[in-house]
Amino acid sequence: MNDPVTYDVQDGVAVITINNPPVNALGPGVSEGLQKAIQQVNETAVIIAAVLIGGGKTFIAGADIKQLTRMASGAVGHGPGLSPLLTSIEDTPKPVVCAIHGTALGGGLEIAMSCHYRVAATTAKVGQPEVKIGIIPGAEGTQRLPRLVGIAPAAIMCATGRMVTAQEGLKLGVLDAITKDDLLTEAVRFAREKADTGEPPRKTRELSKKLKLDDNARESLAGLRQSIAKRARDLQAPGKAIEAVELAATLSFREGCRKEAEIFDTCLKSEEANGLMHVFFSERAAAKVPDLPAEAAPRVIQSAAVIGAGTMGGGITMSYVNAGIPVVLKEINQAALEKGMATIKRNYASAVKRGKLLEGEMEKRLNRIKPTTAYGDIGEADIVVEAVFENLDLKKQIFGEIDTAAKPEAILASNTSTLNIDQIAAATKRPEQVIGNHFFSPANIMKLLEVVRSSKTSPEVIATSMALAKKLGKVGVIVGNCFGFVGNRMFSPYTNEAQFLVEEGASVAQVDQTLYEFGWAMGPLAVLDLAGNDVGWRIHQEVKHSIPESNRQPLMTDILYQEKRWGQKTGKGWYRYEEGNRQGLVDAEFEAQIRAEADREGIAQREISPDEILERTIYALINEGARILEEGFATRSSDIDVIYIYGYGFPAFRGGPMHYGDRIGLKKVYGRICEFEKEQGSWWKPAPLLKLLAEANQTFAEYDRR
Ligand code: 3H9
């Protein structure tokens, strides 16, 4: 194994290089190697200064998150942490310059701040992203950063986790110089210059000028707290990060670091850190498709065509042009095309108005769209994405037409959310080039892309879709071709239970509120109103023949459809809506109708507890997830977690439904499901895999590692 830290000399300056691929995380051996190198700098008289630099594509991406998870579980102890190393670097009497390229994140930036000066490449970025994994900076970052940039900017960086560019970093004061030239040469030159002054090097921990907490800073912090309460309502780490940074204004450096360590420790042991670290690794695992042969290289996609300019087609078009890929947008007639384009323009204009997009950028993106009503215009596209109405016969017909119009090597993707990709592919002469690319609404915003492989999809086409997902800024997850794939197949038992609970006596608002408080972005019944109860009804028509007689079906499906209670779009559904307002209001009339229907069916009414609401809905998800996993339609339980977090708004801090099941304990989940089967009926039959794991006292995570 190569040394994770190497020591060279250039022009009288020690060059200490960290080599711990892929991202130079502070894994085993790195801080020990750095400590040794700093000692060598101190002990070698001819060395006048030192430069710390990362080997490979980046500086240090932070502490090794795998190690942090082991620390959180108690599997390994904390040890002394990075503090002794940081003090050694800072106390070096010779100037130590940190040379940053790629990213300096978390513990990486904390090491950089213990150096006396920082020089960065103009393309570099720095940040304290710890809140994104549920913790706060734990190596004195909350105390050194405010000394360099001021209390409010430091609090913003630590509480949002946002990376700042080299240019911003220079302005803020976290960087001392940026360069377009060779970074190491510049850093060595900078270090020599500092050594030549003969002045003692600047210690960050001794700076105090920027630590004043004046009225402006207080106002910024109040604004920050407010925005966090809105955007991250269930998370504790962002608030804790602000608290730690604020302490820098009142406590000594050492005392501040001691408090930071206490807060770090509390955060590290939280459900939030456990869930978010699981999401971090799950997202990266999802990018790997285990059975793809190494030679299946992704193709380069330079142009696309989207068939259908409705809500989904418009959002997909925006995703592509946002990523710089031009799109031919095809509709059946001019009126539909103009309507679709008007929506896209309205969406961009609203982003410009909210300051999220520059006007010139909006123009560039719009110019990448070529609207058309002619199939002849799609002939050059490298990929054609179909986004028409969810109807198998229609999709088959359209795929026949696309097959004729598209160039032979083009990939044909369907945005179907439920239908059989094999049957769609059979309508073409190139089934190996057909794949499902299931976007989630609004497609330009939601991060999930379910990549649905059929029995014939070629490895190269799968690899291309996975790479494309990344290019579009999405998380691609490979899934198999079953009805509803992974996400919608699980969503059905989940929303069914929500409806059954209402039929048994819970109110619509009670069910939604309980799940909202659990952390979901929206309750299930509000989601049904958003998606459209007409859409739900149509999907139900496609599947109802295959549902066993003994399975309970929601009572209100037909009524919602027949009474045009289609949700937000018709102003009424599970809730009622006032003109121009998406907030659902309690509809007493509809609730009475539900009670009457339940009475007619002989369903006894009773008090329903929040615990029962949670167990019945979430365990229904877990049970179906286990079945999908066992049947091989999902590769890993962690893929299911990624799908639910990025596609359905499951609370990320709980790690996803399957990880949540692991935390609760599969024995308990299985036990409750067995009780539900007895009390409720056969649709609660436990998935065999769940039974197996519960009885073996194992977790889904262990099953993933099998
Ligand atoms: C911290 O520093 C706490 C301190 O305050 C206090 C400590 C006492 N650890 O994302 P990619 C792996 S907390 C372990 O695909 P990119 C990743 O799993 C940390 N592994 O690449 C993947 O492995 P694999 C604060 C890590 O180019 C591979 O590297 N830092 C870590 O798209 C490539 O990753 C962060 O939160 C890590 N820290 O993006 C930064 N980082 O190939 C987290 C990456 O086996 N990292 N890996 O799947 C990132 O944001 C991105 O990885 C980065 C590169 C921007 C660096």
Side-chain angles (χ1 to χ4, degrees):
M1 234 177 77
N2 290 337
D3 243 341
V5 178
T6 57
Y7 182 97
D8 294 295
V9 179
Q10 192 169 316
D11 224 3
V13 174
V15 176
I16 303 165
T17 309
I18 302 114
N19 283 305
N20 191 26
V23 293
N24 292 328
L26 295 165
V30 177
S31 50
E32 295 82 348
L34 285 172
Q35 187 68 270
K36 232 170 89 188
I38 287 295
Q39 196 180 337
Q40 200 171 342
V41 170
N42 287 330
E43 289 170 356
T44 315
V46 291
I47 293 295
I48 58 164
V51 166
L52 209 65
I53 192 164
K57 62 173 188 175
T58 186
F59 187 63
I60 300 172
D64 183 341
I65 302 172
K66 279 201 186 85
Q67 192 70 8
L68 291 179
T69 58
R70 285 194 284 267
M71 265 161 63
S73 68
V76 295
H78 283 220
L82 287 178
S83 187
L85 169 66
L86 304 180
T87 308
S88 300
I89 296 176
E90 206 166 40
D91 285 346
T92 305
K94 307 169 190 182
V96 182
V97 174
C98 185
I100 301 170
H101 73 299
T103 50
L105 299 176
L109 181 57
E110 289 169 309
I111 287 189
M113 291 189 296
S114 75
C115 295
H116 305 120
Y117 311 98
R118 284 148 298 280
V119 176
T122 45
T123 48
K125 287 184 177 165
V126 302
Q128 297 286 169
E130 286 88 344
V131 287
K132 294 190 177 165
I133 51 169
I135 56 175
I136 66 159
E140 306 177 352
T142 63
Q143 303 305 300
R144 279 202 182 80
L145 189 59
R147 286 172 161 79
L148 291 172
V149 304
I151 299 276
I156 293 171
M157 280 177 70
C158 293
T160 62
R162 192 175 81 82
M163 288 193 241
V164 301
T165 60
Q167 293 71 16
E168 270 180 282
L170 182 66
K171 226 159 92 199
L172 283 168
V174 63
L175 299 177
D176 296 287
I178 59 176
T179 179
K180 277 198 180 103
D181 301 330
D182 182 67
L183 179 63
L184 180 58
T185 311
E186 275 308 296
V188 168
R189 196 189 53 73
F190 190 97
R192 282 199 67 93
E193 244 176 57
K194 287 291 171 194
D196 287 347
T197 64
E199 288 168 15
R202 184 188 63 194
K203 294 182 185 181
T204 309
R205 68 168 190 261
E206 289 176 357
L207 303 176
S208 58
K209 246 187 168 153
K210 291 193 175 176
L211 289 182
K212 261 210 325 267
L213 202 50
D214 58 17
D215 286 351
N216 279 347
R218 276 183 223 285
E219 204 177 306
S220 296
L221 291 179
L224 179 63
R225 283 203 163 91
Q226 233 172 28
S227 95
I228 279 167
K230 223 159 91 189
R231 278 186 303 111
R233 64 183 157 99
D234 294 307
L235 303 185
Q236 62 155 350
K240 295 278 178 201
I242 303 176
E243 183 187 324
V245 170
E246 256 184 319
L247 292 173
T250 48
L251 299 181
S252 69
F253 179 77
R254 277 294 150 226
E255 195 48 28
C257 290
R258 208 186 51 73
K259 289 297 270 185
E260 177 200 83
E262 269 175 34
I263 302 175
F264 175 82
D265 214 46
T266 316
C267 289
L268 188 63
K269 291 189 186 121
S270 66
E271 179 183 10
E272 179 177 324
N274 176 278
L276 293 175
M277 287 185 197
H278 170 75
V279 177
F280 177 85
F281 287 115
S282 302
E283 195 180 319
R284 279 146 186 92
K288 300 176 180 89
V289 183
D291 60 346
L292 274 195
E295 63 274 16
R299 293 185 207 164
V300 178
I301 298 292
Q302 284 175 322
S303 59
V306 174
I307 311 298
T311 310
M312 289 310 289
I316 294 168
T317 300
M318 289 173 77
S319 291
Y320 272 88
V321 297
N322 291 352
I325 302 172
V327 172
V328 173
L329 178 58
K330 151 99 180 57
E331 250 301 350
I332 195 152
N333 60 43
Q334 198 57 33
L337 192 58
E338 278 166 19
K339 192 169 167 219
M341 280 304 294
T343 307
I344 292 174
K345 284 181 189 155
R346 210 173 36 247
N347 286 341
Y348 277 135
S350 134
V352 170
K353 207 167 147 198
R354 284 178 288 124
K356 303 264 180 212
L357 187 71
L358 292 174
E359 186 136 11
E361 186 54 34
M362 167 175 85
E363 291 305 326
K364 268 195 212 153
R365 292 181 190 190
L366 286 171
N367 285 337
R368 289 186 194 123
I369 307 174
K370 180 180 173 189
T372 185
T373 54
Y375 267 121
D377 288 333
I378 71 165
E380 290 304 310
D382 295 327
I383 184 167
V384 183
V385 189
E386 163 277 315
V388 303
F389 202 62
E390 193 73 351
N391 175 290
L392 187 59
D393 290 334
L394 176 68
K395 298 223 185 226
K396 280 182 174 163
Q397 178 210 320
I398 300 248
F399 265 74
E401 290 164 1
I402 299 174
D403 193 29
T404 311
K407 61 185 179 189
E409 65 275 25
I411 293 173
L412 311 187
S414 172
N415 177 50
T416 178
S417 54
T418 49
L419 301 173
N420 190 318
I421 301 289
D422 271 312
Q423 289 185 22
I424 294 174
T428 73
K429 293 191 197 68
R430 55 177 115 184
E432 70 293 343
Q433 310 230 120
V434 175
I435 192 159
N437 278 186
H438 178 207
F439 290 78
F440 287 71
S441 188
N444 52 315
I445 305 227
M446 297 297 280
K447 268 188 83 173
L448 178 65
L449 184 73
E450 270 187 331
V451 174
V452 193
R453 70 202 294 175
S454 77
S455 60
K456 297 214 169 76
T457 311
S458 79
E460 193 197 359
V461 169
I462 294 173
T464 306
S465 278
M466 295 301 285
L468 193 57
K470 197 162 184 186
K471 173 121 206 233
L472 300 184
K474 314 259 176 229
V475 181
V477 183
I478 187 85
V479 299
N481 184 26
C482 57
F483 189 85
F485 315 128
V486 171
N488 282 345
R489 178 170 154 184
M490 286 167 67
F491 203 59
S492 178
Y494 166 70
T495 49
N496 278 358
E497 274 321 302
Q499 296 176 68
F500 299 157
L501 285 157
V502 171
E503 291 165 17
E504 289 164 36
S507 73
V508 171
Q510 185 197 355
V511 170
D512 274 357
Q513 187 60 25
T514 304
L515 287 152
Y516 178 79
E517 279 166 16
F518 178 78
W520 285 83
M522 282 171 97
L525 300 163
V527 171
L528 291 179
D529 270 1
L530 176 68
N533 296 311
D534 54 328
V535 178
W537 180 85
R538 271 199 202 93
I539 292 173
H540 183 67
Q541 302 315 299
E542 297 266 349
V543 283
K544 66 179 185 192
H545 59 275
S546 59
I547 301 172
E549 277 283 302
S550 54
N551 273 17
R552 177 174 171 186
Q553 285 305 308
L555 284 180
M556 305 309 284
T557 309
D558 288 339
I559 298 171
L560 285 159
Y561 181 74
Q562 282 149 11
E563 295 185 1
K564 281 210 169 191
R565 285 189 165 271
W566 295 354
Q568 288 190 15
K569 60 182 151 190
T570 55
K572 56 180 185 174
W574 289 95
Y575 295 91
R576 63 184 178 83
Y577 300 87
E578 281 172 358
E579 187 74 34
N581 194 340
R582 287 159 164 267
Q583 182 59 48
L585 302 168
V586 170
D587 189 335
E589 205 179 294
F590 188 55
E591 302 248 358
Q593 210 175 338
I594 299 170
R595 301 291 148 240
E597 282 301 315
D599 190 44
R600 209 172 46 75
E601 287 289 319
I603 299 173
Q605 299 294 294
R606 61 193 171 85
E607 281 272 318
I608 305 227
S609 71
D611 279 354
E612 183 176 348
I613 293 174
L614 283 180
E615 287 183 338
R616 279 182 52 191
T617 50
I618 310 287
Y619 292 3
L621 273 179
I622 298 172
N623 201 27
E624 194 63 26
R627 208 166 271 131
I628 288 173
L629 194 58
E630 182 171 29
E631 291 168 7
F633 293 108
T635 313
R636 318 163 181 88
S637 69
S638 62
D639 283 6
I640 298 177
D641 289 333
V642 171
I643 288 174
Y644 260 80
I645 286 164
Y646 290 123
Y648 293 83
F650 190 94
F653 73 92
R654 297 196 191 269
M658 309 306 273
H659 182 75
Y660 178 73
D662 277 353
R663 266 186 82 88
I664 299 265
L666 296 188
K667 225 183 194 125
K668 177 177 172 203
V669 175
Y670 171 68
R672 286 297 282 147
I673 288 179
C674 291
E675 285 166 20
F676 292 146
E677 187 187 15
K678 273 198 214 115
E679 289 163 15
Q680 294 275 327
S682 59
W683 66 95
W684 268 108
K685 193 172 175 47
L689 175 64
L690 179 64
K691 178 172 191 293
L692 195 89
L693 293 176
E695 286 174 352
N697 219 356
Q698 284 189 330
T699 59
F700 289 123
E702 284 169 309
Y703 180 75
D704 284 353
R705 291 194 288 270
R706 72 196 178 280

